[in-house]
Amino acid sequence: MDKWESFRGQFPVCDEYVYLNHAAVSPLPLLAKQKMDQYLEERTKHGAAHYPDVIWEMLTNGRNLGAQLLNTKPDQIFFVRSTSQGLGVAATGIPFEAGDNLVLVEKEFPANLRPWMPLKRRGVDVRLVPQRQGRVLIDDLAAAMDDRTRAVSVSFVQFLSGFRIDCAKVGELCRKHDALFVVDAIQGIGAFDLDVEACGVDFVSACSHKWMLGPEGAGLGYASPRALERIVPALEGWLAVENPFDFFDLEQPLKSTAARYEEGAYNSVGLAGMLGSLELLLSIGIDQLSERIIGLSDYVVEGLKTRGWQVHSPRKTKAEKSGIVLASKEGVDSEELGKRLKAEKIELSLRAGALRIAPHGYNTNEDLDRLLALLK
Ligand SMILES: Cc1ncc(COP(=O)(O)O)c(C=O)c1O
C-alpha cells in the first residue's frame, strides 16, 4: 500500500462520500477519533485523577506540533477555540491610538473582518484593500499602508477565490512600516507551508476543522516576540500568569510565552483530536501534501475547462494556487446541481452561485472523475 492509500485509509468518510469540502469542515481521520476516544476514556474512568499530567502532556505536544507546522518555537504557540476568537485577541489587544490605521481586505471571510469592526466604531481608520479578480495585490496593500499603520490582517488563502498570498512579501511591507502582520490561516495551514519566521508573520489564528483535519473548537495561534510585546490580552485569564496555581498573587506577571493568550479551561477533547490530526499531517509532510493537493486541483480545473466551465480561482502561478477551486458555468443552476451532487453523495460547497471544490491529499483523481462525470 503506498502512503497515499494508507492516508486515505484514515478516512472512513470515503466509504460513502466523495468528500471535496475541506474549505468548509473536514471529516476527522481515525487517528483524531482515537485520540479523542482515549481522552474520553480517561476522563470517564479517572476523572481528573491524572491531572495535571494528562493535560500537560497534551499542551506540550500541541505546542511542539504547532511549532513544527509553522516553523517556530513552542513558546510562540497558543491554542484558540476558533479563528475568530484568536483574531479577537489581536483586535482587542493591539493598542491603537488616535491617528493610527489598520489595513484589511475587502470581502474576506467575516472571521477576519468582524472582530476588527469595533475598532472602526471607535474611530480607528480602517482601510479596506480591494480584491482584484480574487487576488489581493501587494501593490494595493503597499498603497494602503503608511507609518501610522499598526497592523495588517489578511487571509493566507481566500475562502472564496482560493488565492494564496505571498506572506513573505506582506511581511516585508509590515517590517518597512513597523506594523504587525496578522494572518487568518485557516484556509491554508495543514495543506500549505506557512513559515512564520521566514515570512515575518507576527500573529496567526486558525481553527483546525478545515485543512488541518481537526475538530471544531480547537485551533492554533502564533505570536511573534514583537507581538507578545505589543498585544496586551484584553481578557486576562487566570491561566495567563506565570504561576496560575499561586491563586492569590494578583500582582504576578503574565507568562512570557504566547500561552498568556489562553485564559481558562481548555477544550481538551478538541485538543486531543487536533493532536491526532497534526501528527498525521506531519507524518506525511506538508510539502508533499501541497504537491498532491495542487495536482488534484489542477486535475479538476482541467476537467472543468474541457466541459466548458469557467474557473474563477487565480491559478496563473503555482505559488498562488491552493486547494480551493471556484467554478461556474453559464446556464447551470448551481442550486439545482448542488442538490443533485448531494444526492450522489458528493460533498462540496455552493458559494456565490458557483461550486467551491476543495480536495485534500487523501482524495484521488477518481474522486474528481465522479464529480466531473456529473457536470456534463
Ligand atoms: C478565511 C476563513 N476564516 C475563518 C473561518 C472560520 O472562522 P471560525 O474558526 O471563527 O469559525 C472560515 C470558514 O469558516 C474561513 O474561510
Side-chain angles (χ1 to χ4, degrees):
M1 203 193 281
D2 83 354
K3 83 192 245 183
W4 297 112
E5 270 178 65
S6 74
F7 185 39
R8 190 173 173 91
Q10 281 284 323
F11 294 89
V13 75
C14 298
D15 297 345
E16 192 172 342
Y17 297 92
V18 169
Y19 204 91
L20 303 170
N21 210 8
H22 300 89
V25 178
S26 76
L28 288 173
L30 289 174
L31 193 58
K33 179 179 182 299
Q34 208 175 309
K35 298 267 179 189
M36 290 163 100
D37 286 347
Q38 262 170 20
Y39 176 79
L40 291 171
E41 185 82 359
E42 170 70 28
R43 276 296 299 281
T44 311
K45 293 209 172 128
H46 303 285
H50 299 145
Y51 273 32
D53 293 8
V54 171
I55 293 286
W56 226 236
E57 194 185 316
M58 281 202 310
L59 296 176
T60 306
N61 286 345
R63 290 190 218 286
N64 288 338
L65 292 167
Q68 233 178 299
L69 191 71
L70 296 172
N71 187 36
T72 185
K73 291 169 276 307
D75 278 356
Q76 312 304 135
I77 298 293
F78 64 104
F79 300 108
V80 301
R81 295 163 195 277
S82 68
T83 317
S84 312
Q85 178 260 319
L87 291 168
V89 169
T92 56
I94 299 174
F96 284 91
E97 287 171 14
D100 285 346
N101 66 72
L102 160 73
V103 174
L104 304 171
V105 174
E106 238 174 40
K107 300 198 171 145
E108 285 215 336
F109 191 80
N112 191 28
L113 292 172
R114 224 349 99 187
W116 302 101
M117 288 305 109
L119 290 167
K120 188 174 174 188
R121 292 195 287 272
R122 255 180 43 203
V124 172
D125 174 11
V126 177
R127 301 176 177 180
L128 284 172
V129 161
Q131 294 196 39
R132 299 188 193 274
Q133 291 170 325
R135 288 188 178 86
V136 180
L137 302 187
I138 299 299
D139 285 349
D140 284 332
L141 289 172
M145 292 173 73
D146 57 32
D147 288 342
R148 297 303 304 271
T149 304
R150 279 294 140 261
V152 174
S153 188
V154 298
S155 290
F156 180 26
V157 170
Q158 289 300 322
F159 85 107
L160 201 53
S161 71
F163 171 71
R164 176 159 51 111
I165 200 163
D166 183 340
C167 284
K169 292 224 168 93
V170 185
E172 254 174 57
L173 282 180
C174 290
R175 284 293 177 279
K176 188 171 144 206
H177 293 290
D178 195 30
L180 288 174
F181 179 16
V182 180
V183 181
D184 170 345
I186 192 172
Q187 289 291 7
I189 61 172
F192 293 93
D193 185 40
L194 176 59
D195 183 331
V196 288
E197 296 200 356
C199 295
V201 174
D202 288 299
F203 195 92
V204 169
S205 178
C207 203
S208 68
H209 59 274
K210 299 187 195 281
W211 302 91
M212 275 192 271
L213 305 171
E216 297 105 310
L220 288 177
Y222 160 78
S224 70
R226 69 182 197 146
L228 284 174
E229 275 170 26
R230 295 183 194 181
I231 302 177
V232 184
L235 196 174
E236 203 172 289
W238 74 279
L239 281 177
V241 296
E242 282 294 356
N243 293 306
F245 286 89
D246 191 355
F247 300 127
F248 305 116
D249 180 1
L250 295 178
E251 303 306 321
Q252 59 174 308
L254 296 186
K255 285 185 172 118
S256 60
T257 65
R260 64 168 55 177
Y261 301 125
E262 295 161 3
E263 70 292 337
Y266 292 95
N267 168 12
S268 336
V269 192
L271 278 180
M274 181 173 78
L275 296 198
S277 302
L278 290 180
E279 257 175 46
L280 184 65
L281 288 169
L282 289 166
S283 73
I284 291 177
I286 300 301
D287 286 349
Q288 295 208 34
L289 281 162
S290 323
E291 287 298 318
R292 170 104 177 165
I293 291 168
I294 288 182
L296 289 162
S297 57
D298 280 345
Y299 183 82
V300 78
V301 163
E302 231 6 79
L304 286 161
K305 286 186 175 164
T306 44
R307 285 161 181 81
W309 281 64
Q310 200 191 344
V311 173
H312 308 289
S313 300
R315 298 184 65 86
K316 276 216 179 87
T317 64
K318 190 172 172 188
E320 70 179 8
K321 292 179 185 177
S322 71
I324 295 178
V325 174
L326 188 73
S328 63
K329 186 177 180 179
E330 241 185 73
V332 171
D333 177 340
S334 65
E335 292 292 327
E336 207 45 51
L337 175 61
K339 279 186 206 148
R340 261 183 48 222
L341 295 176
K342 190 125 197 119
E344 295 290 335
K345 303 271 185 187
I346 295 178
E347 281 295 314
L348 41 66
S349 291
L350 301 179
R351 293 281 184 273
L355 301 188
R356 186 180 66 177
I357 304 158
H360 210 302
Y362 68 86
N363 287 119
T364 58
N365 287 351
E366 291 69 40
D367 287 340
L368 298 167
D369 285 338
R370 277 185 57 195
L371 164 68
L372 291 167
L374 294 163
L375 302 184
K376 280 203 186 113

